Amino acid sequence: MLVLIAGLLLWFWLSLPDQLFNAPTSYVIEDKDGNLLNATIAADGQWRFPHNKTVPQKFIDCITTFEDKRFFKHPGVDPVAITRAITKNIKNKGIVQGGSTISMQVIRLSKKDEKRNIWNKIKESILAIRLEMTYSKKEILALYAGNAPFGSNIVGLDAAAWRYYGRSPDKLSWGEMAALAVLPNAPALVHPGRNRDVLLRKRNGLLDHLLEAGKLSPEAAELAKLEPLPDEPLRLPQNAPHLLQRFIKDNKTWKQETRIKTTLDGNLQKNVTRIIQQHQSVLKGNGINNACALVLDVETGNVLSYAGNIADPANKEMESDVDVIAAPRSPGSALKPILYASMLSDGLILPNSLIPDIPTQIGSYAPKNFDLNYDGAVPAGRALSRSLNIPAIKMLQQYKYQRFYETLQQCGISTLNRSADTYGLSLVLGGCEVTMWDIAAVYASMARALNHQTKNHGKMDAADFHAPNYKPRTTNLSPQTANRKPQTNIPLDATSIYFTFQAMQEVMRPGEEGLWQLFSSSQKIAWKTGTSFGFRDGWAIGVTPKNVVAVWVGNTDGEGRPGLIGVQTAAPILFDIFRLLPNGKWFDKPKYNYTFVPVCRQSGYRANIDCPDVDTLFMPPNGTKVLQCPYHKIIHLDASGNFRVTEECELPGNMVHKSWFILTPAMEFYYKQRNIDYKPLPPFKPGCTFLETGKLMEIIYPQPDAKIYVPLEINGERGRTVFTAAHRRAGAKIFWSLDDAFIGTTQNFHQMGLNPPPGKHTITLVDENGVSVSRQFDILDKQ
């Protein structure tokens, strides 16, 4: 007998499954305040939100009053209700009232397909008692609220509240909550949109019972009865569809609950989406169909807004379902600031070191500035703010593209899936593909590291460099994390980042950024635009101590469009978004890990003994390693200062020794056109033996081993190619030869239009003193 009792008790205890409900649920994302952003229908075609342990008190009052008045008093089965139901059913010779408690209904809902008969009723009663031994009353109500049918394909209170009223359950009125509470009793019969008289009668009857129970005042009950009934189910909010896509994909790895409270600011999300839609409505007139934006909080890395594309699901050609934030795209010039910061950190340049900006060809690669002009030489910071391509290539040649490749990976760029040699020098001009997610993370990490430089005493903490997060991070850090010491394996320093952002907030950007004057803001913003090859991608990225905003404009199918330039398409969106964000102070000047360096005012390099104007300036810590100024040298002049002299033609006592700023002939050729105060070297005094050092003469065009195609003119004849050279000495004569045949002489302005036949050629230039330079090139017959 004892064995039998023990067996029954064991069966009773094990009769309740560990998980009562395992039906698929909708994917649901909410903003930081718990407001619904987006949801999908569950895999079985039901609108069933994930379990919510919080049940509004209004629903508790309504459902217990309507379904189970003694819910908080009975142990799962209510003998009083069962007796009352049996008596009433016998009296009416049919089933007119049930005796099931809410606990029994939870068991029945979990069994789904079981028929309603006396034996199943007995089993439900036993399991309901067992249920109450494991779950609290509020937990049982939460199970019921999450799995009760509410008509059509709507399951659970959360889904019903949003589908019928467009609000969360906790924001429903008494009339709305009462209407929902009566639906599970007969969801097939009572359905919003039809049988409205039955629904109205049941709802008002429940309100009367609530009044009788003292849950409502007479005034509140009457007002609740005046509230309209819901109509057909409403569409759920579609405020962050692309983040929902990302969550569904990520959750395949996380395998967590399908509901998440994100870090998004719901109001900001709506406003950013509105701004994108407004600009795209204009851009689509030029065949530019897509745009996206990402807003991050710098300190936490939290995503505040995630607008992965425009919203136009009805038009399939727009491909608005593509999440461009997660799509690898060419960044154009958007990686240049990272190179600039890296070179400052390594002590390869100072913020305003002169970088050559002259026609350049490396093998078959011939980069050009966006405006097709040259400055000869330009300060590195100004080259960054103007987004000049050739200085960027010159800098990358010095830094080495293999190293820059590693730097990008260390900073968080995860899409460099090919070897560094595959990208080569084009890496800094958009020759790779990055995602907005990654590039925004890098800039946010740089800003975070700069904000933390005082706290970290100038050291870099690798923990500051991390991906964005749309799921709030846990605040309960492990002791190891809380006590982690700053790391030093990030190839940047805070002072170099500070100078980088200083250069980026200098908005005077001609050429590619020629429309800078359109943008004005009281808020300091470090920003950079980018335009990919073929006008396929327009980028704008802005940084403040508080926020990072990234914007992309283009076509998801990769189609290029004229005018698809970052400054014209993405930058206006960027600044409109920044106007939504609070203003704040600029980055603090670093207080640790810096140095003071004597800097040549003209060249921007560390001053040598010949530099006449020297400023001792605040610089990155490795600024003391930068090469000394290569452009200032002492020259010897006669007493008038107009001619250079040597010991052979002037007594040393009569010489004037003066420091002179000397560029190479090619740099000088372009530099003096933009800098009227530049003084070329004076000529040698007549009668002095010619004595010159360094480059005297350079061929500017063509570059070594250039392949040149000369198109036909309108008259059908092949056009001419203009060959250009530069000579250090003013008034020098250059004698030109093509394939050892003399073709002409130039003086002062050294250009010559030629029409060589297709094939390989050699051009040779000789000056009056016998100095010569040659270059090979190839004229193509067909392009």
Side-chain angles (χ1 to χ4, degrees), residues 6 366 521 737 751:
S521 172
S737 297
Q751 284 190 336

Side-chain angles (χ1 to χ4, degrees), residues 471-547:
K471 180 181 179 181
R473 289 186 166 193
T474 177
T475 56
N476 298 319
L477 298 177
S478 65
Q480 293 81 1
T481 301
N483 299 321
R484 180 173 46 214
K485 295 181 179 180
Q487 303 296 313
T488 57
N489 58 341
I490 297 297
L492 302 173
D493 66 76
T495 309
S496 297
I497 294 172
Y498 175 78
F499 277 105
T500 301
F501 288 161
Q502 287 290 98
M504 290 171 65
Q505 65 98 23
E506 183 182 312
V507 295
M508 187 170 148
R509 304 179 179 192
E512 178 184 359
E513 277 76 23
L515 300 180
W516 64 271
Q517 292 164 322
L518 294 178
F519 311 119
S520 62
S521 172
S522 59
Q523 185 178 15
K524 278 189 174 183
I525 301 170
W527 63 292
K528 182 74 188 74
T529 61
T531 303
S532 68
F533 178 78
F535 303 101
R536 293 181 174 91
D537 306 89
W539 291 83
I541 300 172
V543 185
T544 68
K546 293 288 186 183
N547 298 108

Side-chain angles (χ1 to χ4, degrees), residues 239-251:
N239 295 327
H242 302 96
L243 183 60
L244 180 63
Q245 286 182 27
R246 189 178 199 109
F247 172 49
I248 293 172
K249 181 179 178 182
D250 289 345
N251 205 45

Side-chain angles (χ1 to χ4, degrees), residues 164-236:
Y164 292 138
Y165 293 108
R167 295 193 299 282
S168 59
D170 59 299
K171 293 182 174 63
L172 296 183
S173 66
W174 278 108
E176 293 167 338
M177 191 65 83
L180 293 184
V182 302
L183 287 181
N185 182 260
L189 174 63
V190 184
H191 184 284
R194 64 174 184 264
N195 301 323
R196 297 179 68 81
D197 291 340
V198 179
L199 177 58
L200 182 64
R201 186 173 66 253
K202 283 179 172 286
R203 184 199 70 175
N204 291 348
L206 173 56
L207 291 171
D208 289 336
H209 289 309
L210 289 168
L211 175 62
E212 293 170 5
K215 304 292 185 182
L216 283 179
S217 66
E219 295 80 7
E222 288 303 314
L223 289 173
K225 290 180 181 180
L226 295 176
E227 293 182 34
L229 296 174
D231 290 316
E232 292 296 326
L234 306 173
R235 283 176 55 85
L236 294 183

Side-chain angles (χ1 to χ4, degrees), residues 43 60 71 142 196 310 314-315 425 453 459 573 578-579 599 626 666 742 761 767 772:
I60 295 175
F71 174 74
R196 297 179 68 81
I310 62 166
N315 190 343
L425 293 171
Q453 55 87 23
K459 295 181 180 179
I573 300 176
F578 265 114
R579 291 186 186 100
V599 178
V626 176
F742 177 72
H761 300 276
D767 70 3
S772 65

Side-chain angles (χ1 to χ4, degrees), residues 367-538:
K368 289 180 172 54
N369 293 326
F370 189 87
D371 60 4
L372 303 180
N373 290 320
Y374 308 95
D375 279 30
V378 62
R382 194 176 305 163
L384 174 61
S385 66
R386 291 174 53 193
S387 197
L388 298 176
N389 292 336
I390 292 175
I393 289 295
K394 293 289 187 183
M395 291 166 66
L396 187 55
Q397 278 186 296
Q398 185 180 358
Y399 189 73
K400 306 303 180 185
Y401 65 80
Q402 296 91 340
R403 191 175 180 194
F404 187 50
Y405 176 91
E406 293 178 358
T407 296
L408 292 174
Q409 290 182 320
Q410 288 173 310
C411 289
I413 301 298
S414 62
T415 51
L416 302 178
N417 300 320
R418 293 175 287 170
S419 68
D421 292 336
T422 304
Y423 301 113
L425 293 171
S426 68
L427 192 62
V428 76
L429 301 184
C432 61
E433 290 185 331
V434 303
T435 64
M436 179 180 286
W437 186 258
D438 281 356
I439 199 168
V442 172
Y443 282 104
S445 297
M446 291 169 66
R448 191 179 306 116
L450 182 52
N451 286 340
H452 292 173
Q453 55 87 23
T454 299
K455 179 182 72 173
N456 294 333
H457 298 282
K459 295 181 180 179
M460 296 296 285
D461 187 351
D464 285 335
F465 282 73
H466 60 75
N469 36 270
Y470 61 87
K471 180 181 179 181
R473 289 186 166 193
T474 177
T475 56
N476 298 319
L477 298 177
S478 65
Q480 293 81 1
T481 301
N483 299 321
R484 180 173 46 214
K485 295 181 179 180
Q487 303 296 313
T488 57
N489 58 341
I490 297 297
L492 302 173
D493 66 76
T495 309
S496 297
I497 294 172
Y498 175 78
F499 277 105
T500 301
F501 288 161
Q502 287 290 98
M504 290 171 65
Q505 65 98 23
E506 183 182 312
V507 295
M508 187 170 148
R509 304 179 179 192
E512 178 184 359
E513 277 76 23
L515 300 180
W516 64 271
Q517 292 164 322
L518 294 178
F519 311 119
S520 62
S521 172
S522 59
Q523 185 178 15
K524 278 189 174 183
I525 301 170
W527 63 292
K528 182 74 188 74
T529 61
T531 303
S532 68
F533 178 78
F535 303 101
R536 293 181 174 91
D537 306 89

